PDB file of all heavy atoms in Angstrom:
ATOM      1  N   TYR A 164      85.962  94.302 102.118  1.00 95.00           N
ATOM      2  CA  TYR A 164      86.378  94.339 103.512  1.00 95.00           C
ATOM      3  C   TYR A 164      85.662  93.218 104.243  1.00 95.00           C
ATOM      4  O   TYR A 164      84.574  92.788 103.850  1.00 95.00           O
ATOM      5  CB  TYR A 164      86.027  95.681 104.152  1.00 95.00           C
ATOM      6  CG  TYR A 164      86.700  96.862 103.497  1.00 95.00           C
ATOM      7  CD1 TYR A 164      86.079  97.581 102.470  1.00 95.00           C
ATOM      8  CD2 TYR A 164      87.965  97.272 103.887  1.00 95.00           C
ATOM      9  CE1 TYR A 164      86.703  98.656 101.857  1.00 95.00           C
ATOM     10  CE2 TYR A 164      88.597  98.353 103.286  1.00 95.00           C
ATOM     11  CZ  TYR A 164      87.956  99.038 102.281  1.00 95.00           C
ATOM     12  OH  TYR A 164      88.572 100.113 101.670  1.00 95.00           O
ATOM     13  N   ASP A 165      86.295  92.731 105.291  1.00 96.00           N
ATOM     14  CA  ASP A 165      85.637  91.717 106.111  1.00 96.00           C
ATOM     15  C   ASP A 165      86.059  91.936 107.572  1.00 96.00           C
ATOM     16  O   ASP A 165      87.056  92.612 107.829  1.00 96.00           O
ATOM     17  CB  ASP A 165      86.007  90.304 105.644  1.00 96.00           C
ATOM     18  CG  ASP A 165      84.884  89.318 105.913  1.00 96.00           C
ATOM     19  OD1 ASP A 165      84.167  89.503 106.927  1.00 96.00           O
ATOM     20  OD2 ASP A 165      84.719  88.378 105.122  1.00 96.00           O
ATOM     21  N   ARG A 587      89.152  97.385  92.522  1.00 86.00           N
ATOM     22  CA  ARG A 587      88.273  98.258  91.732  1.00 86.00           C
ATOM     23  C   ARG A 587      88.704  99.705  91.973  1.00 86.00           C
ATOM     24  O   ARG A 587      88.901 100.120  93.118  1.00 86.00           O
ATOM     25  CB  ARG A 587      86.832  98.063  92.205  1.00 86.00           C
ATOM     26  CG  ARG A 587      85.805  98.856  91.443  1.00 86.00           C
ATOM     27  CD  ARG A 587      84.498  98.879  92.194  1.00 86.00           C
ATOM     28  NE  ARG A 587      83.947  97.555  92.388  1.00 86.00           N
ATOM     29  CZ  ARG A 587      83.130  96.935  91.532  1.00 86.00           C
ATOM     30  NH1 ARG A 587      82.784  97.536  90.429  1.00 86.00           N
ATOM     31  NH2 ARG A 587      82.677  95.720  91.797  1.00 86.00           N
ATOM     32  N   ARG A 593      83.333 114.922  90.616  1.00 97.00           N
ATOM     33  CA  ARG A 593      82.298 115.824  91.092  1.00 97.00           C
ATOM     34  C   ARG A 593      81.689 116.580  89.920  1.00 97.00           C
ATOM     35  O   ARG A 593      82.354 116.858  88.928  1.00 97.00           O
ATOM     36  CB  ARG A 593      82.890 116.821  92.103  1.00 97.00           C
ATOM     37  CG  ARG A 593      83.593 116.160  93.247  1.00 97.00           C
ATOM     38  CD  ARG A 593      84.198 117.151  94.207  1.00 97.00           C
ATOM     39  NE  ARG A 593      83.177 117.755  95.062  1.00 97.00           N
ATOM     40  CZ  ARG A 593      83.461 118.563  96.091  1.00 97.00           C
ATOM     41  NH1 ARG A 593      84.722 118.889  96.335  1.00 97.00           N
ATOM     42  NH2 ARG A 593      82.498 119.060  96.848  1.00 97.00           N
ATOM     43  N   LEU A 735      83.482 126.792 111.121  1.00 96.00           N
ATOM     44  CA  LEU A 735      83.682 126.764 109.671  1.00 96.00           C
ATOM     45  C   LEU A 735      82.559 125.969 109.032  1.00 96.00           C
ATOM     46  O   LEU A 735      82.164 124.928 109.554  1.00 96.00           O
ATOM     47  CB  LEU A 735      85.015 126.085 109.334  1.00 96.00           C
ATOM     48  CG  LEU A 735      86.268 126.726 109.915  1.00 96.00           C
ATOM     49  CD1 LEU A 735      87.434 125.754 109.853  1.00 96.00           C
ATOM     50  CD2 LEU A 735      86.599 127.998 109.141  1.00 96.00           C
ATOM     51  N   GLU A 802      72.286 128.354  96.586  1.00 96.00           N
ATOM     52  CA  GLU A 802      72.175 126.951  96.913  1.00 96.00           C
ATOM     53  C   GLU A 802      72.100 126.113  95.642  1.00 96.00           C
ATOM     54  O   GLU A 802      71.505 126.529  94.634  1.00 96.00           O
ATOM     55  CB  GLU A 802      70.946 126.679  97.780  1.00 96.00           C
ATOM     56  CG  GLU A 802      71.132 127.152  99.214  1.00 96.00           C
ATOM     57  CD  GLU A 802      69.999 126.690 100.111  1.00 96.00           C
ATOM     58  OE1 GLU A 802      68.932 126.306  99.583  1.00 96.00           O
ATOM     59  OE2 GLU A 802      70.173 126.689 101.344  1.00 96.00           O
TER      60      GLU A 802
ATOM     61  N   LYS B  25      74.942 124.988 113.271  1.00 94.00           N
ATOM     62  CA  LYS B  25      76.229 124.814 113.911  1.00 94.00           C
ATOM     63  C   LYS B  25      76.465 126.010 114.815  1.00 94.00           C
ATOM     64  O   LYS B  25      75.885 127.073 114.607  1.00 94.00           O
ATOM     65  CB  LYS B  25      77.296 124.731 112.803  1.00 94.00           C
ATOM     66  CG  LYS B  25      78.650 124.213 113.210  1.00 94.00           C
ATOM     67  CD  LYS B  25      79.519 124.058 111.967  1.00 94.00           C
ATOM     68  CE  LYS B  25      80.890 123.509 112.365  1.00 94.00           C
ATOM     69  NZ  LYS B  25      81.748 123.320 111.178  1.00 94.00           N
ATOM     70  N   ARG B  85      64.407 125.894 109.116  1.00 93.00           N
ATOM     71  CA  ARG B  85      65.313 126.286 108.025  1.00 93.00           C
ATOM     72  C   ARG B  85      65.133 127.759 107.667  1.00 93.00           C
ATOM     73  O   ARG B  85      66.097 128.490 107.453  1.00 93.00           O
ATOM     74  CB  ARG B  85      65.036 125.382 106.812  1.00 93.00           C
ATOM     75  CG  ARG B  85      65.871 125.701 105.608  1.00 93.00           C
ATOM     76  CD  ARG B  85      65.401 124.850 104.429  1.00 93.00           C
ATOM     77  NE  ARG B  85      65.744 125.530 103.188  1.00 93.00           N
ATOM     78  CZ  ARG B  85      66.649 125.092 102.339  1.00 93.00           C
ATOM     79  NH1 ARG B  85      67.274 123.986 102.579  1.00 93.00           N
ATOM     80  NH2 ARG B  85      66.923 125.757 101.252  1.00 93.00           N
ATOM     81  N   GLN B 103      72.234 120.565 101.110  1.00 96.00           N
ATOM     82  CA  GLN B 103      71.652 120.243  99.809  1.00 96.00           C
ATOM     83  C   GLN B 103      71.922 118.781  99.465  1.00 96.00           C
ATOM     84  O   GLN B 103      72.020 118.410  98.288  1.00 96.00           O
ATOM     85  CB  GLN B 103      72.271 121.143  98.730  1.00 96.00           C
ATOM     86  CG  GLN B 103      72.026 122.618  98.942  1.00 96.00           C
ATOM     87  CD  GLN B 103      70.689 123.040  98.401  1.00 96.00           C
ATOM     88  OE1 GLN B 103      70.406 122.919  97.216  1.00 96.00           O
ATOM     89  NE2 GLN B 103      69.841 123.519  99.273  1.00 96.00           N
ATOM     90  N   ARG B 119      80.292  95.983 102.279  1.00 94.00           N
ATOM     91  CA  ARG B 119      81.631  95.419 102.466  1.00 94.00           C
ATOM     92  C   ARG B 119      82.543  95.673 101.269  1.00 94.00           C
ATOM     93  O   ARG B 119      83.738  95.447 101.346  1.00 94.00           O
ATOM     94  CB  ARG B 119      81.528  93.922 102.727  1.00 94.00           C
ATOM     95  CG  ARG B 119      81.016  93.647 104.129  1.00 94.00           C
ATOM     96  CD  ARG B 119      81.123  92.221 104.516  1.00 94.00           C
ATOM     97  NE  ARG B 119      80.793  92.074 105.931  1.00 94.00           N
ATOM     98  CZ  ARG B 119      81.101  91.033 106.670  1.00 94.00           C
ATOM     99  NH1 ARG B 119      81.756  90.036 106.119  1.00 94.00           N
ATOM    100  NH2 ARG B 119      80.781  90.948 107.928  1.00 94.00           N
ATOM    101  N   GLU B 173      77.387 114.868  99.542  1.00 96.00           N
ATOM    102  CA  GLU B 173      77.360 116.167  98.893  1.00 96.00           C
ATOM    103  C   GLU B 173      76.760 116.015  97.501  1.00 96.00           C
ATOM    104  O   GLU B 173      77.089 115.052  96.805  1.00 96.00           O
ATOM    105  CB  GLU B 173      78.788 116.712  98.748  1.00 96.00           C
ATOM    106  CG  GLU B 173      79.105 117.854  99.668  1.00 96.00           C
ATOM    107  CD  GLU B 173      80.329 118.615  99.208  1.00 96.00           C
ATOM    108  OE1 GLU B 173      80.676 118.534  98.021  1.00 96.00           O
ATOM    109  OE2 GLU B 173      80.950 119.274 100.061  1.00 96.00           O
ATOM    110  N   SER B 175      77.441 117.313  94.768  1.00 97.00           N
ATOM    111  CA  SER B 175      78.387 117.282  93.645  1.00 97.00           C
ATOM    112  C   SER B 175      78.900 115.867  93.393  1.00 97.00           C
ATOM    113  O   SER B 175      79.357 115.558  92.293  1.00 97.00           O
ATOM    114  CB  SER B 175      79.557 118.224  93.912  1.00 97.00           C
ATOM    115  OG  SER B 175      80.253 117.856  95.079  1.00 97.00           O
ATOM    116  N   SER B 191      79.278  94.900  88.288  1.00 45.00           N
ATOM    117  CA  SER B 191      79.975  95.402  87.108  1.00 45.00           C
ATOM    118  C   SER B 191      81.204  96.163  87.564  1.00 45.00           C
ATOM    119  O   SER B 191      81.418  96.393  88.754  1.00 45.00           O
ATOM    120  CB  SER B 191      79.073  96.318  86.293  1.00 45.00           C
ATOM    121  OG  SER B 191      78.769  97.461  87.048  1.00 45.00           O
TER     122      SER B 191
END
Side-chain angles (χ1 to χ4, degrees):
Chain A
Y164 299 92
D165 210 327
R587 183 195 299 271
R593 305 178 77 173
L735 300 163
E802 286 190 341
Chain B
K25 195 174 181 179
R85 178 186 155 112
Q103 299 276 299
R119 286 190 172 198
E173 252 198 21
S175 60
S191 65

